[in-house]
Structure formats: C-alpha cells, structure tokens
Amino acid sequence: MSELSKTFEPREIEDRWYGHWESEGLFRPHRPDAQPWTIVMPPPNVTGSLHIGHALDITLQDVLVRRERMRGKDALWVVGTDHAGIATQMVVERTIAGQGLTRQKLGRDAFLEIVWDWKNTSGGMITRQLRRLGASCDWAHERFTMDEGFSRAVTKVFVELYRRGLLYRDKRLVNWDPKFQTAISDLEVETKDLQGRFWTLSYPLADNSGAIQVATTRPETMLADMAVAVHQDDDRYKALIGKQIRHPLTGRLIPIIADEHADPELGSGAVKITPGHDFNDYEVGRRAGIRPADMLNMFDAQAFVVQTRDGLIPSEFLGLSREEARKAVVARLEDEGSLVGVEDRVIPTPFGDRSGAIIEPWLTDQWYVDAAKLALPALQAVKKGNIKIVPETWTKTWFNWLENIQPWCVSRQLWWGHRIPAWYAEDGHVFVAETEEEAKDQAGGRPLRQDEDVLDTWFSSALWPFATLGWPGETDDLRRHYPNDVLISGFDILFFWDARMAMQGIEFMGEVPWRTLYLHGLVRDAHGQKMSKSKGNTVDPLVLVDQYGADALRFTLAAMESQGRDIKLDEKRVEGYRNFATKLWNAARFLKMNGIGASDSIAAPTAPELAVNRWIIGEVVDTLEKLNRAFDELRYDEMADAIYHFVWGTFCDWYVELIKGAFDEETKRVAAWVFDQILVMLHPLMPFITEELWHSMPSDGNKRDSDIVVAKWPEPKAEVDAEAKAELDWLIRLVSEVRSARTELNVPPSAKLNLFAADASDETAGRLDRNHATLSRLARLESIQLSSFPGQGAAQVVVDEATFALPLEGVIDVGAEKARLDRAAAAAEKERDSLAQRLSNPNFTERAKPEAVEKARLDHEAKSAEAERLRAALERLG
RNA sequence: GGGCGCGUAGCUCAGUGGUAGAGCACACCCUUCACACGGGUGGGGUCGUAGGUUCGAACCCUACCGCGCCCACCA
C-alpha cells in the first residue's frame, strides 16, 4: 500500500474498510472504564430501503459518534429496525394478493408466519445500505422492535401503564381508516382541503307546524341523525327548542336541542347532529345526555351503509358506499323537495396518512393512553433544561403540542405487531397481565379470550432508548447508557416518536431519555421541491455513493446542514466535495513522493525553526478550535467549513506550495504531523478516505499501530505563534498582491520580474531575506532588492509600510497601471474617509465601546498610510 | 384561527449591531515536475418593502408584501 494509485477510487476502499471495522469490533471497542457516550438510531422500517432522509440522519449521527469514539469515550450507537405495523402488513398483504390470498383466508397464525418470512428475507436490505454510508453502529447488538426481549418490554409497559391508571379501554369516536380497517391516532390523520359542497336541507317539525333548515357538508350521514341543534340565544329558533322533528328520509323522531356548537352565523344557524359519525356531533350528543353506546351507527368497517339499530334506514341506501350514499340521499331529498340549496365549498377532509383513504369517525372500543398525564413531565423536562432542544425554536412547538395533547389511541386492528396483553371473560370483564397464565389467575380460571388487536408501532418505538439497553433488566448497559446523550431526528417525527420517547422514558426510567434533542429538516431536491416517488424527483443516496463516494455524500449533507433548515440537495455540491476528497488524496501523494510519511508523534513538533512550520502548527490549533466549537454547538456546516478551508485553502494552497523544494528534516516532521491531524480531524466527516490514507502514509516497512477509527482526537498543546502568523500573513499578502498586479497588467506567467522594496522596515527586510526563495518561486521573481526602483515604468504594490516595484519597462501599459493604482487608492481613501467621519463624531467616540473606537483609530491610520503610499506610487508613474 | 420559519451575489446558502462572506456558476490566463475532479486572477449584492430604536442596523423593534411548513372539530 506504499504507492498510492493515481486516482482515488472510493468504492474499493469503502467496502474493504467497512468490513475491517465491523469484523474487528472497532465500532464499539471494549472500554469499561471510559466515560459512556450514547446515541440511538431511529429504527428504520425493517422492510424499508434507504432514502436520502436516512442518509442525512445517519450522517449527522455518525459524525458525532465517531468523534466521541476518538475522544476515548465508551461510545455506543444503538442500531436496529422497526416492525412498522401498518406499512409492513400492507406490503405483505399486497404480495399475497397476487396469489389470490387474503390474510383472512389464511388466518392469523399462517399470515404472521408469512410476514416473519418476509421480514427475515427482505429485512436486511436497509441495514446493508446503512453500512454503505459508513454508519459505525453497534451491529453486534442489533435490535428489532419485535424481538423477544423488546416484546417483553412492550408488554410490561402496557401492563404497568394500565395498573397506574394511565391506560384504559374506552368506547368513543375514533379515526377509522376504512381501507386498512383499523383505528389510527390523531397524528396519522392528514387534513387536506377538498372541493366539496354545502347542502341546506329542510327538516319538517313532527307536529307539521313548519320546518327547520339545517346545513351540512355530509348529507349521507343524515341517516344516523339523532338531533338538530340550535343556539340557545338564537331568537329565530328559541321557541322550537324541545320540539320534535320527523326526519325526512328515515321518519325518525329527533329532538331540537340547544347547544353552543350551533353557530347562528353559519348556514341557517341550525345544525343536524350525528353523534356516531362526527367529532363535534359526538360532543354535542354527550352534552345532550346520549351515551356512546346509544349513538346510532350507519357504517360498517369499510364505510358501507348498514342498518341502524332502530332499523329506520330505507333499504335502498343499505350497502352503498359513502359516495354512493351521498348521491342517493341528495337525489331523494331533491325528489321530496327537501333540498333547499347547494353551494360549492372547500372542505377540510381527513385522510389516513398511509392509506390515503378518507377517514371515517367511527364508534369503537379502543385502548387509550392518558397522554396528558405523561406529557406533563416531558413538558417540564424541557422547561427546566433537562432536555435541550436544538435548534431552540422547536421548544415552542414542543410545549404547544404537549400542552394540548389528546388521549392517544394505541390499539390497531392489525395482526402484525405486539398483541395487546388483555384477556376478556365471557361477560366482557377485562384482565390485563404480562402473560396468559397471570390473566387466568386473575380471572379465577374462567375461560378467556385474548384481545385481537395489536399496538401502535410508535407505542413500542417510544421505548427504544431504554428497551434496547436491556430494560426491564437492570443491565450494565442500561446503567451506563441511559440517559442517552443526544437524539438526532427529523422534525417530522417530533410528535410521533421524540415526544413519546420523552413521555415513556421519564415514566419508566424516572429520567429523560436524552440530554439533547437535535432536529434536522427535510432533504428536498435542488429546486426546493419535496422529494416524492410520484414526482419522480427522488435522489437515491446509494446512486450518489456509487458515483461520488460515501465520503463526498456525507460531507455534502453535513456542509448543508445548518440547524434545522431544509436542505436543497444539489448534485453539484456532491461533485464538489468529491473533488475535495481527490484534492486531499493528491496532497497525500505529493507528501509521500517527497519522503513525508506518518508522524512519529501525536504531540505537535516543538518550536520549529522555520516560521512556515510554526505558522502551520498554529493554523492546526486554530482549525481544531473551530472544529471543536462547531461540534459542541452541533453546527455541522461549520465543521465542514473549518476543515474544508484548512485543507484546501491553507494547507494545499499555501503550506504545500511554500515548502516545495525545501524538504528539510524539520519540515518533513511538521508536514507529517499536520497531515496526520488533518486525517484525524476529517475522519468523522470522511471516514473512508481518511482511513485509507492513514494507512498509506507510513513509509515502506512501517505500519500504524492502530486504525484511525479509534485514533486519538487531537489535543495539541501547541499554541498559535503570533510572530510566525504575522510573517506568513505578510508573505501571503505580498505574493497575492504581486500576482494580482501581474495578471491585471497582462504580464505573461512565464516572465520573471525583479522586485524592488522601498521604505522597507528592518522587519520587512528580514522577512524578505528569510523568504527569498519561496517568494521568488510563488511570485515568479528574478531578484529581490532592498531599494527603491530608480527608473520609470514599474508596477507598484503596497503591503504595510513598504512599497514594492516591479519594473516592466517596455511591457507595462502605463495607463492600465495608473488606473489600477487609482482604483486601489480610491478604495483605501473611501475607507479612510468613512472611518474619519465616524471618528469625528463625538457621539461615536464618547458612546461607542472603547475597543470599537480604538479599532477605528488603528484602521484609520492604516488606511490613511496605505492611501498615501498608493498616491505616491501613482505620482511616480508621472 | 393559532404557531413557526424563510426572503443576503445568477444559483444554493453562511453571517451578525461597527463600512457584506463561502461553494457552485461566470470571465480571462495557465499542458508550472500532487492534483484540469487542477492552478492563478477577476467581475458581481442599495442584504424583500416602509417606518422606528441607536453614535452606528443586513443584523434589534413595528407594520406590510411574497413564499413555505406545522397545529386546530367550524356544520
């Protein structure tokens, strides 16, 4: 491996190093005495595949855990997959449908066997894909939300919550998904605006004394109407309160009731009440004293019309879908002259987020978690600062949601999931227990039937931060790694997952699940559009990895991640950071070519003689400081920025250029050390190329003691050498000025010029002397003289106190040079004048901070001097 | 209806009370012995609009305009 190939081939090294890291157990070295550091990966759906959102999420986590591992911590990144109830069952049902099968035909046990098979065969894809990104998680302890231990934890939590009165069974309206035929939680409902209509109907009074008009957006539900409500203060209807209505289609006698829900401003001011199929009406019904069990239901599980308990729905409507029923009802009302008016109207309509079906409020028995009680401590935890949310702006959202939280429906009418540990006796009495035996004991031997339903997937994933560590067992892992240090998740699952983890974690562990909650945004396409399969604008992260390498993709995602903003991913950026990797690769080749290999020490070489070496060590220290600060503040963009500019802008563009042709032992030692620091600092962001180069750097016959994945994060004791910094800063400015003048005056790159330094201080003279060779090479100079140029026709540049002349007799376009100098002088004068104006304002000198005044004075002095010198240079040209 | 965020160079985005930055793109030059996935140089912004606070605002406050997102039962 001593010879680096001419081009950097990510694919080959990525597979090789990942395999090495994993098989050697380097992602979780045994460090029982080290300070623990913990993060859990949001478990991806077991049957899912990697999308760009995962890539971002994984990158952000891996960057952190790699640095903590390098800092010597007992770093643990918990990994595993989620059984994803609805999503997985849906996929499998679709598959067996191809063979003409349904789960009902198969029966529960046979169906579940198929799902498990499916999970076992296709479940490994996403975890293989995570590896391609370089995710350094603890694969040896990979978990699954339905593995044995985890399932035990889920059952225990359910039973405990029940015993603590925080979980109960209740009959009420629930969001029913008629396509999947299951209840879903409020969070799984997406409200979308749909173009609909607003019908006004006429309901006759039972005593034939007249009629009352009601308005509705869902006429079909009138078949289950149980009342008409008006506002108690509405003079139009006051007298009618308590009277009966003969329902137009069913003939059902229903009362006119007073309820504040009826808005006199809206429609006719009277509203039909269907407690069994509308959330508002349900509440009105409750207030009117109707028990949930007595509420009329007119739909089956697939939302087809069925007969109400009172048998009053005319047979022509039975068996119709909601849409058909609506048409039929409207048609009949029209025939009967009961339809008073129709207008178009936009209707906010609830959809199931997975099924896309319109949700039907339906009366069922479900299990609910008393979320309001669990929410309180989670709210407090953020208020007291036990959980820090980054970026902070999300705390308000956190409070707002938790403060208004509703009971959480956790039962699902599915088969794939954790079966609810509740058993019913013949009489309906329920026994909740961790095992059937326990339940039987409680029931005193009566025959029992287990609840058919399973739990919401999020109920189990909420336990991820502690159930993966062995809870309810009191394991060493649990003691050391709970609470986790940080959680990284997209804000889209803030309520689904993060908040529920906080609630369950505090309830069962008595302590917050993580100290910091970092929320990142969505990855969008280059134009800011949300990526979706239907739009066809999705970016497959693995395609990018194939094309540019995992390091480039990781670096891009980190560089574009600035605290929570959505990321517009542009492939050009990935390409750019691939180029960056290549640049680094070639810098390594260059160093090796010149006998520079691995550093023999972790500590910075002490007090080098050459300024350039002292300077670059200081630059490393600077960069490390920036990097560490960025890590502490979770500023990924700043991490990337700091290392990128150091590697390319400082190390490659200047240091390497400066040391070319002068590879003395000291420089070799310093260069080797600096490059090692670069590899280590860059490793969290670009793990693969850094590991490859780490092992490529040692000269023939030598080897590194260990891999960079477990190398020591830099802690150079060195300090920034101010003198060296000043000197190199000067050198860079001088070279840049000369280059700029050359280009602007169209001096051929090959032409070598003489340089005359006028008014040079002793310090400048010394610097010119010390840097004679590099200066000549970088600025393409023939000679350097410490005197003013006696002749005419020279380009001139001003750096600090000195004026440098580059004689260009015959070549120079005096007009162009004059224009150039004039522009430079004008710029300096403009700044000088603006500073002068500020300084002449007593309000400024008296009220501004003394440092600001002092700085303005110094700047003014410098700019005045510079302007003067430039004007003098201009004069010299005649 | 409530809440949040955004509007800075052609594009994507940093920035923050003291006279605007990056990457890409663009223009010109360079086959200089690490790298053309490169090197050098350069052009380009009245920081959405209007007020206010301040010695000083792109940065703080107010209003407005435009864009996006989240939450909410208006029949």
Side-chain angles (χ1 to χ4, degrees):
Chain A
M1 216 185 295
S2 62
E3 273 298 307
L4 287 175
S5 59
K6 201 145 190 186
T7 50
F8 164 49
E9 292 298 337
R11 185 59 195 257
E12 187 265 330
I13 69 162
E14 286 173 4
D15 290 349
R16 181 156 44 81
W17 283 118
Y18 198 90
H20 173 77
W21 293 329
E22 187 178 354
S23 63
E24 296 296 312
L26 295 172
F27 293 150
R28 199 184 177 192
H30 186 61
R31 291 172 177 170
D33 301 322
Q35 188 188 340
W37 190 89
T38 317
I39 186 166
V40 298
M41 185 192 297
N45 291 0
V46 65
T47 58
S49 60
L50 194 83
H51 57 67
I52 194 75
H54 290 119
L56 171 65
D57 202 52
I58 297 304
T59 297
L60 301 183
Q61 295 173 65
D62 196 46
V63 167
L64 295 188
V65 75
R66 281 183 184 270
R67 170 168 173 264
E68 298 298 347
R69 192 181 298 116
M70 293 171 100
R71 295 213 294 177
K73 305 245 181 91
D74 175 18
L76 167 62
W77 187 9
V78 172
V79 67
T81 48
D82 191 290
H83 67 280
I86 291 187
T88 305
Q89 178 165 325
M90 202 171 84
V91 172
V92 175
E93 284 195 75
R94 208 184 299 141
T95 310
I96 60 171
Q99 304 152 34
L101 287 171
T102 65
R103 66 179 161 113
Q104 288 81 2
K105 273 190 211 165
L106 285 164
R108 188 168 191 135
D109 291 345
F111 177 74
L112 286 180
E113 211 171 297
I114 292 175
V115 184
W116 275 107
D117 279 350
W118 169 271
K119 182 255 170 192
N120 291 330
T121 53
S122 70
M125 181 163 77
I126 190 139
T127 52
R128 282 193 301 277
Q129 293 172 327
L130 291 172
R131 288 173 166 92
R132 292 217 47 208
L133 288 170
S136 63
C137 32
D138 181 21
W139 293 110
H141 301 96
E142 184 181 342
R143 299 300 300 267
F144 177 53
T145 50
M146 276 173 71
D147 67 33
E148 210 188 316
F150 205 97
S151 298
R152 238 191 338 266
V154 172
T155 303
K156 186 176 175 67
V157 164
F158 185 95
V159 173
E160 275 298 316
L161 286 175
Y162 180 76
R163 289 192 183 136
R164 295 174 194 181
L166 293 166
L167 185 148
Y168 54 89
R169 192 166 167 79
D170 196 14
K171 182 193 281 294
R172 63 168 71 175
L173 274 194
V174 75
N175 298 300
W176 184 262
D177 187 319
K179 184 167 172 196
F180 292 152
Q181 299 181 55
T182 179
I184 58 176
S185 72
D186 297 347
L187 282 179
E188 291 158 277
V189 177
E190 273 177 10
T191 306
K192 286 187 236 169
D193 282 342
L194 226 55
Q195 188 54 50
R197 286 181 175 164
F198 193 59
W199 286 270
T200 304
L201 320 175
S202 176
Y203 281 18
L205 294 169
D207 60 10
N208 293 321
S209 65
I212 187 165
Q213 290 184 2
V214 297
T216 180
T217 56
R218 294 198 62 192
E220 70 278 12
T221 62
M222 73 182 293
L223 299 172
D225 278 351
M226 296 184 77
V228 166
V230 298
H231 199 275
Q232 57 264 34
D233 300 332
D234 193 333
D235 291 335
R236 293 171 293 180
Y237 302 118
K238 256 185 186 164
L240 300 179
I241 294 169
K243 286 201 170 194
Q244 296 271 305
I245 272 172
R246 185 179 308 282
H247 192 268
L249 298 185
T250 61
R252 184 180 299 129
L253 287 175
I254 59 176
I256 295 173
I257 60 175
D259 193 281
E260 63 208 13
H261 169 63
D263 181 352
E265 305 290 311
L266 201 62
S268 62
V271 57
K272 70 185 204 61
I273 299 300
T274 319
H277 297 290
D278 182 281
F279 286 101
N280 285 312
D281 293 5
Y282 176 85
E283 294 304 328
V284 175
R286 292 296 304 267
R287 285 196 288 272
I290 306 173
R291 292 181 311 162
D294 295 333
M295 292 174 182
L296 292 175
N297 169 57
M298 58 168 279
F299 287 125
D300 66 10
Q302 295 182 73
F304 285 86
V305 178
V306 292
Q307 187 55 273
T308 44
R309 199 180 46 249
D310 59 13
L312 291 174
I313 297 183
S315 58
E316 61 180 287
F317 299 114
L318 298 177
L320 300 181
S321 70
R322 286 172 290 183
E323 297 73 23
E324 293 162 347
R326 176 172 301 179
K327 276 186 201 147
V329 163
V330 170
R332 271 295 301 276
L333 288 169
E334 212 163 2
D335 288 348
E336 295 186 2
S338 302
L339 186 63
V340 180
V342 190
E343 56 185 273
D344 287 336
R345 193 177 178 124
V346 173
I347 315 290
T349 309
F351 288 86
D353 64 352
R354 292 242 166 220
S355 69
I358 294 178
I359 292 306
E360 188 61 45
W362 206 41
L363 262 177
T364 53
D365 291 301
Q366 304 287 346
W367 290 94
Y368 292 89
V369 166
D370 186 348
K373 283 213 182 88
L374 290 173
L376 222 58
L379 210 57
Q380 286 300 320
V382 173
K383 272 198 182 127
K384 287 188 197 144
N386 293 334
I387 294 175
K388 185 178 157 210
I389 297 181
V390 181
E392 210 189 336
T393 163
W394 286 103
T395 51
K396 219 166 185 172
T397 307
W398 178 270
F399 292 147
N400 194 40
W401 190 67
L402 288 171
E403 278 162 6
N404 297 299
I405 200 164
Q406 297 299 307
W408 173 20
C409 174
V410 294
S411 42
R412 296 288 179 277
Q413 286 63 52
L414 304 171
W415 287 350
W416 177 242
H418 299 99
R419 191 150 174 193
I420 290 175
W423 285 263
Y424 303 93
E426 291 277 321
D427 62 1
H429 197 92
V430 65
F431 302 93
V432 172
E434 288 186 48
T435 62
E436 185 159 11
E437 287 66 42
E438 266 182 56
K440 275 182 179 157
D441 284 351
Q442 288 177 30
R446 282 188 282 173
L448 295 177
R449 174 179 55 79
Q450 186 173 2
D451 197 309
E452 294 291 325
D453 297 344
V454 300
L455 287 163
D456 181 4
T457 300
W458 299 104
F459 184 90
S460 48
S461 52
L463 319 181
W464 197 246
F466 55 95
T468 51
L469 299 172
W471 188 90
E474 286 175 22
T475 62
D476 191 48
D477 267 352
L478 190 60
R479 260 191 304 277
R480 288 173 60 76
H481 293 284
Y482 191 97
N484 308 161
D485 286 78
V486 54
L487 182 86
I488 294 185
S489 95
F491 62 70
D492 52 329
I493 53 171
L494 176 63
F495 305 144
F496 277 110
W497 193 48
D498 306 346
R500 284 156 177 177
M501 270 190 284
M503 295 193 280
Q504 299 283 42
I506 296 170
E507 178 68 21
F508 287 93
M509 296 297 297
E511 174 67 284
V512 296
W514 7 258
R515 299 293 178 200
T516 300
L517 170 57
Y518 182 90
L519 296 162
H520 64 251
L522 244 57
V523 182
R524 298 168 175 277
D525 73 9
H527 310 289
Q529 294 289 309
K530 206 166 166 174
M531 288 189 190
S532 74
K533 282 182 196 154
S534 54
K535 276 190 223 156
N537 64 343
T538 52
V539 172
D540 183 344
L542 295 177
V543 169
L544 293 175
V545 169
D546 286 339
Q547 205 164 347
Y548 303 104
D551 289 332
L553 177 60
R554 292 167 58 109
F555 202 92
T556 305
L557 293 169
M560 300 189 79
E561 171 63 19
S562 61
Q563 295 232 330
R565 255 174 101 128
D566 284 352
I567 290 177
K568 287 180 197 158
L569 186 64
D570 186 348
E571 199 173 319
K572 297 292 279 182
R573 281 294 279 271
V574 188
E575 191 187 330
Y577 292 123
R578 186 273 318 266
N579 296 351
F580 173 63
T582 306
K583 183 79 182 175
L584 181 76
W585 185 264
N586 280 297
R589 283 181 59 217
F590 175 77
L591 296 182
K592 279 183 72 68
M593 243 174 243
N594 290 286
I596 294 165
S599 178
D600 52 13
S601 110
I602 289 178
T606 45
E609 212 169 298
L610 296 174
V612 68
N613 288 328
R614 278 180 280 137
W615 163 74
I616 197 68
I617 290 171
E619 293 296 301
V620 170
V621 173
D622 254 6
T623 303
L624 181 65
E625 254 170 45
K626 278 185 202 152
L627 204 53
N628 280 333
R629 199 178 318 124
F631 268 103
D632 293 343
E633 293 168 359
L634 295 170
R635 287 302 304 254
Y636 292 90
D637 53 346
E638 287 174 8
M639 293 173 205
D641 188 69
I643 192 72
Y644 181 93
H645 284 108
F646 177 68
V647 171
W648 203 319
T650 304
F651 185 76
C652 291
D653 286 351
W654 289 104
Y655 183 72
V656 168
E657 294 302 326
L658 288 165
I659 65 172
K660 266 183 185 172
F663 298 104
D664 54 281
E665 287 310 309
E666 173 192 289
T667 299
K668 283 186 186 177
R669 212 163 52 244
V670 171
W673 179 81
V674 172
F675 198 71
D676 269 11
Q677 301 308 302
I678 285 175
L679 294 179
V680 173
M681 290 191 290
L682 183 56
H683 182 260
L685 290 158
M686 291 191 152
F688 294 107
I689 191 175
T690 49
E691 187 73 274
E692 176 70 12
L693 292 176
W694 179 254
H695 289 285
S696 308
M697 292 313 287
S699 49
D700 294 343
N702 293 321
K703 273 183 134 177
R704 298 275 189 182
D705 295 339
S706 65
D707 298 302
I708 202 171
V709 66
V710 288
K712 207 169 169 319
W713 186 253
E715 292 174 17
K717 299 284 181 283
E719 282 179 18
V720 174
D721 183 321
E723 205 179 305
K725 190 175 169 63
E727 179 160 331
L728 269 292
D729 176 65
W730 168 87
L731 182 60
I732 288 169
R733 276 185 295 138
L734 178 55
V735 170
S736 303
E737 286 288 344
V738 172
R739 280 175 175 170
S740 177
R742 292 179 62 119
T743 304
E744 285 191 50
L745 296 173
N746 289 316
V747 178
S750 53
K752 292 200 169 183
L753 308 180
N754 297 309
L755 183 76
F756 290 80
D759 305 329
S761 64
D762 288 350
E763 188 180 44
T764 299
R767 285 169 172 174
L768 283 170
D769 185 46
R770 281 192 297 277
N771 296 288
H772 188 278
T774 44
L775 196 49
S776 302
R777 189 158 37 80
L778 297 182
R780 306 217 126 233
L781 302 176
E782 184 66 44
S783 72
I784 299 175
Q785 283 155 66
L786 266 181
S787 62
S788 53
F789 174 57
Q792 290 275 318
Q796 297 167 87
V797 297
V798 170
V799 176
D800 295 339
E801 86 294 346
T803 303
F804 298 86
L806 296 156
L808 286 165
E809 253 159 320
V811 187
I812 191 171
D813 174 343
V814 175
E817 172 63 357
K818 273 188 180 170
R820 195 184 70 87
L821 283 174
D822 188 58
R823 250 182 291 133
E829 281 158 1
K830 193 180 157 206
E831 285 196 40
R832 177 199 64 195
D833 293 347
S834 135
L835 286 160
Q837 196 187 3
R838 204 191 304 169
L839 285 164
S840 70
N841 181 350
N843 280 328
F844 174 68
T845 48
E846 282 160 27
R847 294 193 209 181
K849 280 176 291 187
E851 310 93 83
V853 178
E854 183 56 20
K855 185 176 182 304
R857 277 209 178 96
L858 290 173
D859 288 351
H860 178 255
E861 229 168 84
K863 284 297 160 192
S864 307
E866 189 185 324
E868 259 174 58
R869 290 186 195 108
L870 286 164
R871 283 293 166 210
L874 200 47
E875 299 254 314
R876 236 168 278 135
L877 280 176

